[in-house]
Amino acid sequence: MARSRQHHRARTLSQNFLTDPATAARFVRAARPDPAGLLLEVGPGRGALTAALAPYCRELRAYEIDPGLVPPLRARFAATPHVRVYEGDFVAVVPPRARFAVVGNVPFSRTADIVGWCLRAPALTDATLITQLEYARKRTGDFGRWSLRTVETWPRFEWRLLGRIGRQEFRPVPRVDAGILRIERRPRPLLPAAELACYRRLVGLGFSGVGGSLYASLRRAGHPRRQLDAAFDAARVDRAEIVAHVPPRAWLALYAGLRHD
């Protein structure tokens, strides 16, 4: 009965626990934690990643939303004082003011909320997350298509897919494979801070879908044809290209050609 309740809770909270120690070690290599740094872990579950990460950081704060998992987690790491287990929803946590990184095997149903929290945290250096493989591929251009979230944040963050994890390495076994997604804040943004809002507005216009192509969307937004033609030529973007196929580097070139000095 207890096991049945635990299984039901795992499904309700979209929990899929990592079971393979070799995969946990591979995740640590991908995360590259700072030995003198602060790590925040999303959803430690039964502690597979927590145990693998603990030797490689100065402090690890693990946030577990499932109250049934908190006591065994605290017992497991009772002799590891730099690991602290907190009960609660990660996205309700106030981000630390000091520099920190985020790691975790995130609940698939909460991925967008957790990624959004990371992108808004001013002191975040990087986030290395186990997500649905499809989500990681969409956000990193692995399908040959780029999402609005990736393009609009590209001047400040690099998005990379660092590996694939088979579904059989989790319990309960999810319906899909997972990926290791890394979001890393750039040491120096690709655009000055004062221009980021203008860049995001341009990207928003491009993704509006008005006109059927990126060129048509930007033309209907009022950009002069001559300036638009020159910007597309410089960015090497076909005028018939749909917006999802335009990579971030081309967006930066388009912005450079269309911004008003």
Side-chain angles (χ1 to χ4, degrees), residues 42-108:
V42 187
R46 294 172 182 160
L49 290 183
T50 316
L53 289 160
Y56 300 99
C57 62
R58 172 183 56 82
E59 181 182 356
L60 198 163
R61 302 175 190 172
Y63 294 88
E64 178 52 57
I65 197 172
D66 186 344
L69 293 174
V70 172
L73 274 170
R74 287 176 174 164
R76 179 173 181 178
F77 297 101
T80 314
H82 72 289
V83 175
R84 302 178 185 179
V85 178
Y86 298 89
E87 179 183 335
D89 189 345
F90 179 81
V91 298
V93 174
V94 176
R97 292 184 179 181
R99 287 163 54 89
F100 70 97
V102 171
V103 292
N105 173 21
V106 304
F108 289 169

Side-chain angles (χ1 to χ4, degrees), residues 22-160:
T23 300
R26 179 158 63 99
F27 179 87
V28 172
R29 293 192 294 272
R32 295 185 281 117
D34 179 359
L38 168 63
L39 275 183
L40 272 57
E41 183 182 3
V42 187
R46 294 172 182 160
L49 290 183
T50 316
L53 289 160
Y56 300 99
C57 62
R58 172 183 56 82
E59 181 182 356
L60 198 163
R61 302 175 190 172
Y63 294 88
E64 178 52 57
I65 197 172
D66 186 344
L69 293 174
V70 172
L73 274 170
R74 287 176 174 164
R76 179 173 181 178
F77 297 101
T80 314
H82 72 289
V83 175
R84 302 178 185 179
V85 178
Y86 298 89
E87 179 183 335
D89 189 345
F90 179 81
V91 298
V93 174
V94 176
R97 292 184 179 181
R99 287 163 54 89
F100 70 97
V102 171
V103 292
N105 173 21
V106 304
F108 289 169
S109 64
R110 303 293 308 282
T111 303
D113 292 339
I114 292 165
V115 167
W117 185 99
C118 292
L119 295 173
R120 292 189 299 272
L124 176 103
T125 58
D126 54 82
T128 308
L129 307 171
I130 296 175
T131 71
Q132 279 189 345
L133 180 62
E134 182 178 7
Y135 179 93
R137 294 188 69 188
K138 283 181 177 179
R139 293 297 180 269
T140 58
D142 198 54
F143 285 123
R145 301 170 64 91
W146 297 88
S147 71
L148 169 62
R149 172 55 65 90
T150 305
V151 172
E152 69 179 1
T153 60
W154 193 259
R156 292 193 301 151
F157 294 95
E158 182 179 10
W159 299 66
R160 287 184 291 159

Side-chain angles (χ1 to χ4, degrees), residues 152 155-156 191-205 255:
E152 69 179 1
R156 292 193 301 151
L191 290 174
E195 295 188 29
L196 291 174
C198 292
Y199 171 80
R200 286 194 296 268
R201 282 196 292 272
L202 177 71
V203 173
L205 286 171
Y255 173 76

